[in-house]
Amino acid sequence: SQNRAGFHSTSLNEIILGNSVQIRRVRGLARTATAARASVLIRGERGTGKNVLATAIHNDGPRRDEPFIFFACASIPANLMVGELLGFGEGVSENEPWGKPGKFELAQDGTIYFQDIENLTLEGQAILLDALELGIIQHKQNHRPIPVDARVIASSSANLEQLIAEGRFRPDLYYRLGTFEIILPPLRNRIEDLPALAEENLKRISGQVNEPYRLTEAALAVLRDYDWPGNLR
């Protein structure tokens, strides 16, 4: 339960391919983020690689041997979000009468990654803010404060500034998360990186089918003319 399977690269150079100005800046910021203790906010359109970048920052950092806990805010019902974050003791839930540790407890000494942070409820945002500012979380059942030492990485594809104006996202949490902000550019804005990206994909496909593939100039021209609405995904 403590490790997120699927992303195994520990090299930022391997997962952030290309040599465009935008992607070189992302690589530089990500390298700085790996050694820092501050929270990180990764922003970008869907499919730009936010999940992979978050995992690489953890894997390349000093907490690499500790848990990496994935918290998918968009897929957790609002009424269950606090219980998922804080956990609960014995006898609280019929489904899990033995109790359940919260995500912050599981992430102790490691990293907790909030995917789609814009979907975190206001109560969940208050809990996260306490963890960031005070270094503790508070159980509702027994009011027992629990020390938290977990690095926070969050990602969003939403307009957080607009959500703040609408009262749906806490400005103090936004400024706390945005201390270290990395913006992943859409693929259509870094078309010059397409040859490197295509070569990496062809290399992977060639290994799977044991058949060498290459990209012709005509095929590359077609790729460059496409607007890539799904980005890297």
Side-chain angles (χ1 to χ4, degrees):
S1 65
Q2 293 185 338
N3 294 292
R4 172 70 175 175
F7 307 127
H8 303 292
S9 171
T10 58
S11 171
L12 290 167
N13 288 328
E14 291 177 21
I15 66 161
I16 310 179
L17 299 174
N19 201 40
S20 62
V21 172
Q22 300 98 315
I23 216 62
R24 288 204 306 269
R25 184 172 187 274
V26 168
R27 267 199 301 266
L29 288 171
R31 287 196 188 99
T32 303
T34 58
R37 292 179 57 88
S39 55
V40 179
L41 177 61
I42 304 173
R43 303 182 70 174
E45 294 180 4
R46 297 196 179 279
T48 49
K50 297 185 292 296
N51 294 353
V52 179
L53 178 57
T55 311
I57 290 173
H58 169 79
N59 287 343
D60 274 9
R63 298 176 185 253
R64 66 177 65 87
D65 296 323
E66 303 299 335
F68 178 81
I69 299 301
F70 191 92
F71 193 83
C73 300
S75 63
I76 300 173
N79 62 318
L80 299 179
M81 200 163 284
V82 171
E84 288 291 321
L85 284 173
L86 299 181
F88 44 81
E90 295 182 14
V92 174
S93 170
E94 293 182 1
N95 295 328
E96 295 177 278
W98 49 85
K100 180 180 180 180
K103 291 297 190 291
F104 277 109
E105 290 180 84
L106 292 174
Q108 190 71 5
D109 298 323
T111 300
I112 181 168
Y113 169 49
F114 290 85
Q115 181 196 48
D116 299 322
I117 188 74
E118 68 272 12
N119 291 293
L120 190 63
T121 62
L122 288 174
E123 189 175 3
Q125 292 174 36
I127 293 169
L128 174 54
L129 191 62
D130 282 345
L132 290 171
E133 291 188 341
L134 305 176
I136 62 169
I137 56 174
Q138 189 87 21
H139 271 282
K140 295 182 69 174
Q141 285 85 18
N142 55 21
H143 304 288
R144 176 172 58 94
I146 297 177
V148 173
D149 181 14
R151 192 198 193 164
V152 173
I153 301 178
S155 70
S156 177
S157 57
N159 185 335
L160 294 177
E161 292 81 1
Q162 180 63 35
L163 295 179
I164 290 171
E166 297 171 358
R168 295 160 55 192
F169 200 87
R170 295 182 59 133
D172 45 1
L173 177 59
Y174 170 73
Y175 292 123
R176 186 67 191 238
L177 290 172
T179 303
F180 206 113
E181 184 176 270
I182 301 176
I183 300 177
L184 284 171
L187 187 51
R188 64 182 176 276
N189 289 353
R190 58 182 187 107
I191 292 297
E192 60 265 45
D193 293 333
L194 273 176
L197 293 166
E199 181 181 347
E200 181 65 23
N201 277 280
L202 286 176
K203 187 189 303 181
R204 176 176 53 82
I205 295 170
S206 296
Q208 290 173 351
V209 299
N210 198 26
E211 181 78 23
Y213 286 106
R214 66 181 183 88
L215 193 67
T216 66
E217 285 300 320
L220 187 56
V222 172
L223 296 182
R224 284 177 172 147
D225 286 340
Y226 189 58
D227 60 358
W228 299 100
N231 293 300
L232 293 175
R233 189 181 300 159

